[in-house]
Structure formats: C-alpha cells, structure tokens
Amino acid sequence: MAKYLLLKHYRGGPAPIVDTPLDQWTPEDQSAHFRYMEEFADRLRESGEYVASQALSPQGTFIRFDGGGKPPVTDGPFAESKDLIAGFMLIDVDSFDRAKELAAELSAAPGPGGAPICEWLELRPMYDNNPMDEG
C-alpha cells in the first residue's frame, strides 16, 4: 500500500472547466457537491483506502522561526498567490494507477446544475519513511 495526498485548490494549476467559485453556487449545488465528497470518502472507508480528509479555509497565517523571541507572523495566503489549497484527502492504495482512478472520480464531483466540475486535483505520493534514506 502507498499513501497519496489529493489536493483540491481554490486556484492554481491548469485552468478549471467550472470556474464559478463555490460561494457563488446555489445552496442546493453546494449540498450536492459536499454530499458527493462525503459518499466518496465513505466508499473509501469501506474499502480500507481512506486515511483522512479536510476542507481548508482560504484564510491563513504564515509563521516562521526567526531565532529567539516571538516568531514573525504575516497575513496569508495572499490573494495574489499562484495557488491556494481548498482541502485534501489522504488515501492508502495498492498502486499509482488506483490513486489516479480515485482522483479522477473525485474530480467528477457535481457543480452548478449537477454537472461534474472536472476540477484538477494535485496527486502527491507520500514518503513511507525519511526521504533522505531513499538514495
């Protein structure tokens, strides 16, 4: 089994087919979209391929270590940034092909009017151990 992170973006990546922001969808369309994602996660729980998922707020803060004292804090993510992550799902599957299959299925979540949004998802493999040990 290998773990993969499926990243959903508010923006960034190739141009989306459906570019209407979620907050401009009807309440019914929003509910159908979230229901699809919950049912998708439930199916993965049943198959043993689900690890975790969470939607993320567009608001955030950047913090870094800067020696002693208080760490510097800035607003962010910035509106002009290239991409902004909307949420993630972590899966544990037998192969990269299975990960691609699931990502494509999640990409078909319904959007306005119930049509698949065909959103681009970023698929990232996770290291099983320290990446420096894999040389």
Side-chain angles (χ1 to χ4, degrees), residues 5-134:
L5 186 62
L6 304 172
L7 293 171
K8 295 173 66 69
H9 293 262
Y10 284 113
R11 62 181 169 271
I17 292 175
V18 175
D19 62 356
T20 305
L22 183 69
D23 63 357
Q24 294 177 20
W25 297 5
T26 67
E28 296 78 19
D29 288 338
Q30 289 178 3
S31 292
H33 181 78
F34 293 130
R35 186 173 45 255
Y36 178 96
M37 291 174 42
E38 289 168 10
E39 291 170 356
F40 180 79
D42 287 343
R43 287 195 321 273
L44 295 183
R45 283 183 187 95
E46 290 173 14
S47 70
E49 296 172 307
Y50 178 87
V51 177
S53 61
Q54 186 64 52
L56 300 172
S57 166
Q59 292 80 34
T61 303
F62 287 105
I63 300 171
R64 72 166 197 218
F65 175 77
D66 199 28
K70 289 182 161 182
V73 176
T74 67
D75 293 334
F78 302 109
E80 62 274 5
S81 66
K82 181 178 176 188
D83 65 335
L84 182 60
I85 297 172
F88 70 89
M89 179 174 285
L90 183 59
I91 58 175
D92 195 0
V93 295
D94 288 328
S95 67
F96 180 63
D97 286 339
R98 177 64 176 154
K100 290 189 301 186
E101 178 184 315
L102 293 174
E105 187 176 341
L106 186 57
S107 170
I117 59 174
C118 304
E119 71 179 322
W120 288 97
L121 296 174
E122 184 178 349
L123 180 60
R124 302 275 304 268
M126 301 198 59
Y127 286 117
D128 287 335
N129 50 34
N130 184 338
M132 300 307 291
D133 293 340
E134 295 185 9

